Amino acid sequence: MEKPLVSVIMPVYNGEKYIGKAIESVLAQNVPTELLVIDDCSTDKTELTVMKYMDSGNIRYIRNKENMGAARSRNRGVKASKGKYIAFLDADDWWEKGKLEAQVKTMELTGCDICSTGRELMQPNGHTTGKYIPVKERITYHDLLKHNSINCSSVLLKREDALAFPMTHDDSHEDYITWLKILRRGGFVVGINKPYLKYRLSEGGKSRNKLKSAAMTYQVYRYVGYGRLKSLLFFISYAVHGVWKYR
């Protein structure tokens, strides 16, 4: 297999229904890519579904011995990866062709820490909702404190940063914590405002329970070191943006 430029990390638990589409969208990318599927002790036919694609030669299937959760599963994938860049893709989402190529070019041109894209919201059956969530062209640490506009399945970042800032606190928005830690050094995010990510809405996702998601967002600010008052102020900003985003 050609040495990968991008390692795609895909955690999955009981994802046989959707993972095929996610895998196919990775295989359709036109940069040297490896896909690491981290199976978090699935009890359905996820493994059999993944095996159907193994002939492509650039998929590695890793099964956890115990349930580790999304954050630790992603971290395991990052440690096993070989690419210069890391991309994350949840097993029920998928990408448009050309996503990774556009992001690699953007990162090398701008020197940004993270590259994100816009996303189209999809129904559980894969049909569009007709809603699109854009992303700003440039996002700083202070921008991100006010509003997490970076979806995990849209991200490309350097492997060295993914190793240095692993995802923690699965009881919160673990990806948001990581983005904040990376940007705290003074870097920035570049957004590609195209719907390269197709984001499938699911009833079981963390963000679908708005009250629970809100509580976890407040906890993010506490985890990155802010006191109760500042955390509350950041949370208010998050709430205002959330109403606008899903209006």
Side-chain angles (χ1 to χ4, degrees):
M1 185 182 77
E2 183 181 3
K3 180 175 174 58
L5 178 61
V6 179
S7 296
V8 181
I9 313 302
M10 184 182 295
V12 60
Y13 175 73
N14 287 350
E16 66 167 306
K17 186 176 180 181
Y18 300 128
I19 195 170
K21 191 173 185 67
I23 291 174
E24 289 169 7
S25 76
V26 174
L27 297 178
Q29 300 300 308
N30 48 355
V31 298
T33 303
E34 67 169 348
L35 170 61
L36 291 87
V37 178
I38 314 299
D39 189 339
D40 200 22
C41 300
S42 294
T43 57
D44 64 356
K45 296 180 181 178
T46 291
E47 182 175 0
L48 291 176
T49 303
V50 175
M51 291 303 130
K52 295 176 182 178
Y53 297 94
M54 294 300 288
D55 289 344
S56 68
N58 58 350
I59 298 176
R60 282 191 278 162
Y61 175 81
I62 301 172
R63 183 177 175 88
N64 294 337
K65 292 183 179 180
E66 60 182 13
N67 190 272
M68 296 171 63
R72 291 171 61 198
S73 293
R74 292 190 186 110
N75 295 340
R76 185 180 184 188
V78 170
K79 289 179 181 178
S81 67
K82 300 176 181 178
K84 177 180 179 181
Y85 297 106
I86 296 293
F88 298 107
L89 180 61
D90 289 345
D92 54 352
D93 299 332
W94 70 96
W95 294 331
E96 284 190 358
K97 187 174 181 180
K99 172 188 180 287
L100 294 183
E101 181 181 29
Q103 289 186 292
V104 168
K105 288 180 178 178
T106 297
M107 290 198 70
E108 293 182 348
L109 180 65
T110 66
C112 64
D113 294 276
I114 299 171
C115 182
S116 181
T117 75
R119 63 191 187 271
E120 182 180 2
L121 301 183
M122 313 302 290
Q123 298 175 17
N125 62 10
H127 296 157
T128 184
T129 64
K131 295 181 180 179
Y132 170 65
I133 298 181
V135 63
K136 288 175 60 177
E137 183 176 349
R138 184 183 176 96
I139 302 167
T140 67
Y141 175 72
H142 293 290
D143 294 330
L144 199 63
L145 276 174
K146 298 173 184 176
H147 169 50
N148 181 20
S149 55
I150 304 174
N151 184 273
C152 189
S153 286
S154 79
V155 159
L156 186 75
L157 73 162
K158 293 184 285 289
R159 180 178 184 269
E160 61 198 67
D161 286 340
L163 286 170
F165 300 97
M167 294 190 184
T168 58
H169 301 297
D170 229 337
D171 60 323
S172 184
H173 296 299
E174 67 280 352
D175 53 339
Y176 189 15
I177 296 171
T178 290
W179 316 149
L180 286 169
K181 287 180 178 179
I182 291 173
L183 293 193
R184 183 183 280 172
R185 304 173 302 178
F188 61 99
V189 178
V190 168
I192 300 176
N193 196 20
K194 294 182 179 179
Y196 279 121
L197 170 62
K198 306 302 180 182
Y199 178 78
R200 193 190 305 264
L201 299 173
S202 62
E203 296 302 325
K206 285 183 179 180
S207 297
R208 295 297 285 169
N209 184 326
K210 297 305 179 186
L211 289 178
K212 182 179 179 181
S213 180
M216 290 190 297
T217 298
Y218 172 81
Q219 197 62 38
V220 164
Y221 304 128
R222 300 290 285 141
Y223 281 140
V224 296
Y226 288 100
R228 289 185 174 87
L229 179 58
K230 274 199 171 182
S231 295
L232 180 60
L233 293 174
F234 291 136
F235 173 78
I236 292 171
S237 177
Y238 147 83
V240 171
H241 279 91
V243 170
W244 174 86
K245 182 171 68 173
Y246 289 103
R247 71 192 188 283

